[in-house]
């Protein structure tokens, strides 16, 4: 871990402190984080951002703006903007590449077939392939009877765990639209697997 890292996941207590710090940090910006990207434009959400920040950043060279995610600030920025960027950097998870087989020896990442991968872009497909393999491995190692996917979205992970890894899965999401999309997708996948079983 980076010695400059302010937070850690070494213990459950430290992990909870980190999570709470992130929640407290984003709470004042919920109007942005909870908005759909098109609403940013249609509802002119940028008008809710501190006008001093906007004026400052509008006049900033692009190369300086690109450094913000790295936590690099400019001396002439207003103090609250500098504090925001530095706080943001301190809360970010380290971006080192994890060695999956060191963390989970024997985990077997399986490529998704076209039916299960339907609707996923390349990045999402890769994430679901890796995460489903890890979750399945952990579930098997502890003898879990059911996996609960909280914040399941459109159910990609839950459906891969169910159809590909044969786990009992409960998918929960706050958005009812996601539930409808997930059910329709699950029906298409079921039909595909039923057809495959009839063939064999």
């Amino acid at each position: 871990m980076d010695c400059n890292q302010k937070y850690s996941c070494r213990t459950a207590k430290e992990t909870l402190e980190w999570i709470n710090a992130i929640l407290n940090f984003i709470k004042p910006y919920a109007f942005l984080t909870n908005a759909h990207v098109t609403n940013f434009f249609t509802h002119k959400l940028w008008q809710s951002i501190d006008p001093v920040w906007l004026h400052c950043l509008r006049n900033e060279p692009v190369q300086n703006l690109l450094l913000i995610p790295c936590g690099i600030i400019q001396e002439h920025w207003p103090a609250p903007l500098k504090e925001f960027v530095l706080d943001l950097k301190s809360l970010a998870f380290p971006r080192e590449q994890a060695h999956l087989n060191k963390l989970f020896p024997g985990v077997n990442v399986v490529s998704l077939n076209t039916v299960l991968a339907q609707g996923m872009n390349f990045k999402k497909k890769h994430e679901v392939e890796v995460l489903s393999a890890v979750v399945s491995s952990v579930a098997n190692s502890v003898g879990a009877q059911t996996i609960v996917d909280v914040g399941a979205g459109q159910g990609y992970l839950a459906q891969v765990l169910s159809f590909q890894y044969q786990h009992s899965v409960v998918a929960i999401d706050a958005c009812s639209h996601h539930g409808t999309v997930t059910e329709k997708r699950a029906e298409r996948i079921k039909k595909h697997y039923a057809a495959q079983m009839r063939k064999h």
Side-chain angles (χ1 to χ4, degrees):
M1 191 180 85
D2 183 352
C3 58
N4 297 320
Q5 188 77 38
K6 187 174 175 182
Y7 296 96
S8 142
C9 289
R10 281 188 299 258
T11 67
K13 184 174 182 262
E14 288 178 342
T15 304
L16 191 57
E17 283 173 8
W18 197 347
I19 291 168
N20 284 326
I22 292 169
L23 291 173
N24 290 332
F25 178 80
I26 62 174
K27 200 177 290 179
Y29 308 101
F31 70 96
L32 282 176
T33 58
N34 293 338
H36 193 277
V37 70
T38 56
N39 292 347
F40 183 80
F41 300 101
T42 58
H43 298 159
K44 299 181 181 178
L45 293 180
W46 65 84
Q47 292 177 344
S48 303
I49 299 168
D50 186 329
V52 176
W53 291 19
L54 283 177
H55 177 73
C56 172
L57 295 173
R58 271 195 188 115
N59 297 315
E60 201 62 40
V62 172
Q63 61 267 28
N64 288 351
L65 297 177
L66 293 172
L67 295 173
I68 291 175
C70 302
I72 296 172
I73 56 174
Q74 306 303 316
E75 280 307 308
H76 60 274
W77 287 359
L81 177 57
K82 289 196 271 192
E83 185 182 334
F84 173 86
V85 172
L86 294 174
D87 284 349
L88 182 65
K89 175 63 177 164
S90 76
L91 292 165
F93 287 103
R95 303 288 290 187
E96 301 97 33
Q97 181 75 39
H99 296 285
L100 194 61
N101 286 321
K102 283 185 182 175
L103 294 170
F104 301 97
V107 74
N108 182 29
V109 178
V110 179
S111 184
L112 298 182
N113 64 40
T114 53
V115 175
L116 282 175
Q118 183 182 16
M120 298 184 205
N121 61 28
F122 181 79
K123 180 177 177 287
K124 174 62 76 177
K125 181 176 178 281
H126 172 72
E127 290 169 350
V128 171
E129 284 172 348
V130 173
L131 188 56
S132 61
V134 170
V135 171
S136 179
S137 174
V138 171
N140 289 335
S141 71
V142 298
Q145 299 297 307
T146 302
I147 297 167
V148 180
D149 183 1
V150 179
Q154 295 186 27
Y156 295 137
L157 176 63
Q159 289 170 348
V160 171
L161 287 167
S162 176
F163 289 105
Q164 184 155 303
Y165 290 96
Q166 306 298 305
H167 289 288
S168 169
V169 183
V170 176
I172 301 170
D173 197 89
C175 177
S176 58
H177 171 70
H178 284 162
T180 306
V181 171
T182 302
E183 284 174 18
K184 286 179 181 172
R185 196 168 170 276
E187 284 306 314
R188 288 195 300 271
I189 296 169
K190 278 183 197 170
K191 283 178 184 172
H192 168 79
Y193 279 97
Q196 292 295 99
M197 287 174 74
R198 282 196 297 273
K199 275 184 191 175
H200 298 294

